[in-house]
Amino acid sequence: MIYSMTAFARHELKAEWGTAVWEIRSVNQRFLETYFRLPEQFRGMEPVLRERFRKQLQRGKVECALRFSANDAAVGKLSLNHDLAKQLMTAADWVQSHGQSGGVNPVDILRWPGVMNAEEADMDSIQADLIKAFDHCLKDFIDARATEGESLKTMIEQRLDGIEVEAAKVAEQMPTIVEWQREKITSRFEEAKIELDATRLEQEMVMLAQKIDVAEELDRLNCHIKETRNILKKGGAVGRRLDFMMQEFNRESNTLGSKAIRNDITQSAVELKVLIEQMREQIQNIE
């Protein structure tokens, strides 16, 4: 499986304690880099999340964000500190008996620090739910990378087919080109009314054939095509290997272009460059 480094995933979780939304996005990067935007109360989860990314991903700049909204209606059960409330009421009665107050509002007693307490939310349980939701989001994220990776693989294979066609065109035309060059040289000498020794002509044609021979370049191109297909078939984190293969493709296409002596060969060399550049641009996004 080929994976793209460009992807996005979102997962929303609703529970009694509130709602949470995970978002993961990534772009191409030479190495794996992870960045987190988490609410302060959940910063402790970052090492766990980072390790999960490290086990699943090889390359890419990954940004992970969590939006958390607590449910106020899900506040834990309230409890009353009876002893403290009684002490406050006794003190209030004493103050009132001395004419220092017009009466005490019971709500004021309840608002006194420590009189009413709410059970704290079970943070361990909430974090467990959030980690489970993160795993769902991560799976969707990897699936998205795989889907995009398959599209890139298809595009690269199409370009490889195109390179194969151009290489076959050049190979098919080479015998014709050699004969065309022979006739061209002979015609020029005839126009100049210069008698050319047959042996000398053959020597010149051998030297020219060696100079314009592209059989070695075509063989290497076909080898590179085969190797690139094998890399795509193997899958995994192959972006760097594919990038290296593009360098090799470029080297052979440049040599082929430098040896071109006819327009049709030049056109094939240009087409090869275009196909290789299209592959190279897309390979930058492959893990």
Side-chain angles (χ1 to χ4, degrees):
M1 183 73 70
I2 297 295
Y3 294 94
S4 170
M5 286 189 284
T6 303
F8 172 80
R10 182 180 186 274
H11 184 80
E12 183 175 358
L13 173 65
K14 293 183 179 180
E16 293 182 357
W17 42 257
T19 61
V21 178
W22 285 104
E23 288 187 355
I24 306 175
R25 68 184 73 238
S26 69
V27 294
N28 58 330
Q29 181 71 291
R30 186 176 181 184
F31 303 105
L32 177 62
E33 295 183 7
T34 52
Y35 301 89
F36 297 91
R37 295 198 304 274
L38 307 176
E40 191 60 35
Q41 64 267 42
F42 300 117
R43 297 294 294 180
M45 294 194 303
E46 186 172 320
V48 177
L49 305 180
R50 194 182 302 278
E51 181 63 16
R52 275 171 160 74
F53 278 131
R54 190 188 65 80
K55 288 182 178 180
Q56 296 281 352
L57 310 176
Q58 299 292 326
R59 299 172 65 200
K61 180 181 179 181
V62 184
E63 295 181 358
C64 176
L66 170 64
R67 295 200 302 272
F68 178 82
S69 178
N71 183 6
D72 294 334
V75 174
K77 182 180 179 181
L78 294 174
S79 61
L80 174 64
N81 188 334
H82 293 84
D83 293 337
L84 179 57
K86 288 178 180 178
Q87 293 177 36
L88 290 172
M89 291 175 64
T90 300
D93 289 341
W94 182 86
V95 171
Q96 186 176 1
S97 67
H98 287 75
Q100 299 298 318
S101 174
V104 178
N105 190 333
V107 176
D108 292 333
I109 298 294
L110 296 176
R111 288 176 176 172
W112 192 268
V115 174
M116 297 297 297
N117 292 297
E119 294 179 358
E120 292 187 1
D122 186 355
M123 294 302 294
D124 290 341
S125 177
I126 294 176
Q127 288 194 12
D129 291 342
L130 291 177
I131 290 292
K132 188 180 296 184
F134 171 81
D135 288 338
H136 282 291
C137 191
L138 179 58
K139 181 181 181 303
D140 293 341
F141 174 71
I142 293 175
D143 289 343
R145 284 167 66 109
T147 300
E148 178 67 17
E150 282 301 303
S151 299
L152 294 175
K153 178 182 177 183
T154 300
M155 188 281 296
I156 293 171
E157 288 176 337
Q158 291 172 349
R159 300 309 185 272
L160 290 174
D161 292 340
I163 292 175
E164 214 165 27
V165 169
E166 294 301 326
K169 280 184 186 178
V170 175
E172 184 178 356
Q173 293 170 0
M174 286 312 297
T176 304
I177 291 174
V178 172
E179 184 60 31
W180 169 78
Q181 190 66 16
R182 173 192 287 272
E183 293 174 358
K184 186 176 180 181
I185 292 175
T186 303
S187 175
R188 285 182 177 178
F189 275 105
E190 288 177 352
E191 290 175 1
K193 296 181 180 181
I194 298 176
E195 184 177 349
L196 187 63
D197 180 68
T199 303
R200 178 64 184 276
L201 176 61
E202 289 302 321
Q203 291 175 348
E204 293 293 332
M205 290 306 304
V206 168
M207 293 175 61
L208 179 62
Q210 291 176 345
K211 184 177 180 180
I212 66 174
D213 183 33
V214 293
E216 186 176 349
E217 286 75 15
L218 295 176
D219 287 343
R220 283 200 289 261
L221 274 176
N222 288 320
C223 287
H224 296 337
I225 293 171
K226 183 178 180 180
E227 178 61 19
T228 303
R229 292 189 192 279
N230 288 337
I231 293 172
L232 292 172
K233 184 177 180 180
K234 181 180 178 181
V238 296
R240 289 174 182 160
R241 293 187 63 189
L242 290 173
D243 192 53
F244 171 76
M245 293 306 302
M246 294 307 103
Q247 297 177 35
E248 297 300 306
F249 272 113
N250 266 319
R251 182 177 292 110
E252 304 309 329
S253 65
N254 287 337
T255 305
L256 185 65
S258 67
K259 291 184 176 182
I261 61 172
R262 210 165 68 171
N263 286 339
D264 44 8
I265 303 299
T266 301
Q267 291 173 1
S268 290
V270 171
E271 182 63 22
L272 285 174
K273 295 286 290 184
V274 172
L275 292 169
I276 294 166
E277 182 60 22
Q278 289 174 348
M279 286 195 296
R280 190 195 66 79
E281 288 179 355
Q282 297 303 322
I283 285 171
Q284 304 307 308
N285 294 321
I286 292 180
E287 185 179 45

